[in-house]
Amino acid sequence: MNSRDGWLRSPGSVVLLLAALVTALVMGAALVSLRDLRADAVALHGEPMTDAQAAGQVVASAKQIVSLAQLQDATGGYAFVSCKNENEPPYQAAIYMSFRLPQSNSVKYLRDVAASMAAHGWTPAASMGEHFGQKLTKDGVTAIFFRSVNDTDFATMRLYGECRNTADHRNDNPAWTEVTDQLG
């Protein structure tokens, strides 16, 4: 046996290697379980909201934006969207809205919409993965808007409320509530 190989078989080395292996396994397991816990935990910030309160939060914001930015031909509706995964509480109300763009310079127009919103207390929101459009927030509601990909005569705006609705919306029928008549 080579003297260089002997250190691997000494009792101290074996204990050290075994301790390193056990530590790596424990740390790996802890990391996986913490990640799983964090993914499942969506903390409520404030008291839970009723369906009416959650919907009212985003509908009121949409009405305000339509009015102050003088959006033309605004249409939309809302649904409850899980903040945790596909269908478990808590939920947030989310409005999907579209509005007509002017025939000239829609990019400038969307900047003007953002400026009008900013003049009424909306502030830029942190972008997380979006590579297009504007993202503003006010009073727990986040608005994201951009020129529509499918119909360049229109823009799309999505408004997301706070994740504070704890009702079960897995089997909502209908899942979509039209609010176009409330926007104008």
Side-chain angles (χ1 to χ4, degrees):
M1 173 166 77
N2 190 333
S3 66
R4 284 189 260 169
D5 295 335
W7 73 270
L8 284 175
R9 295 188 181 156
S10 70
S13 296
V14 170
V15 170
L16 184 62
L17 286 173
L18 204 57
L21 178 63
V22 168
T23 301
L25 288 172
V26 168
M27 295 298 284
L31 182 64
V32 167
S33 48
L34 283 177
R35 190 192 73 202
D36 289 343
L37 286 174
R38 196 182 83 220
D40 288 341
V42 176
L44 289 180
H45 299 288
E47 292 296 315
M49 292 177 142
T50 65
D51 290 355
Q53 290 169 322
Q57 182 184 41
V58 292
V59 171
S61 292
K63 287 170 62 172
Q64 179 196 43
I65 294 167
V66 168
S67 175
L68 63 90
Q70 300 177 0
L71 302 182
Q72 301 299 308
D73 301 326
T75 62
Y78 71 87
F80 289 96
V81 180
S82 174
C83 299
K84 184 175 179 180
N85 54 32
E86 275 189 42
N87 57 12
E88 290 182 48
Y91 293 88
Q92 64 187 161
I95 283 189
Y96 290 74
M97 183 171 72
S98 65
F99 55 94
R100 184 171 300 283
L101 291 171
Q103 294 299 319
S104 62
N105 204 346
S106 61
V107 173
K108 180 187 179 310
Y109 179 76
L110 291 176
R111 279 193 219 120
D112 291 345
V113 169
S116 180
M117 291 170 66
H120 289 86
W122 289 82
T123 58
S127 291
M128 297 187 60
E130 292 96 13
H131 302 289
F132 56 89
Q134 306 277 340
K135 185 174 181 183
L136 302 168
T137 186
K138 179 181 178 185
D139 298 331
V141 175
T142 299
I144 303 168
F145 54 102
F146 49 91
R147 187 174 183 174
S148 179
V149 176
N150 298 328
D151 187 349
T152 56
D153 290 339
F154 284 86
T156 299
M157 183 177 286
R158 300 178 305 200
L159 292 103
Y160 297 97
E162 296 172 271
C163 290
R164 292 176 38 203
N165 180 275
T166 56
D168 186 352
H169 289 282
R170 284 181 272 211
N171 298 312
D172 283 2
N173 188 14
W176 182 262
T177 302
E178 184 69 32
V179 293
T180 298
D181 61 333
Q182 298 177 44
L183 298 176

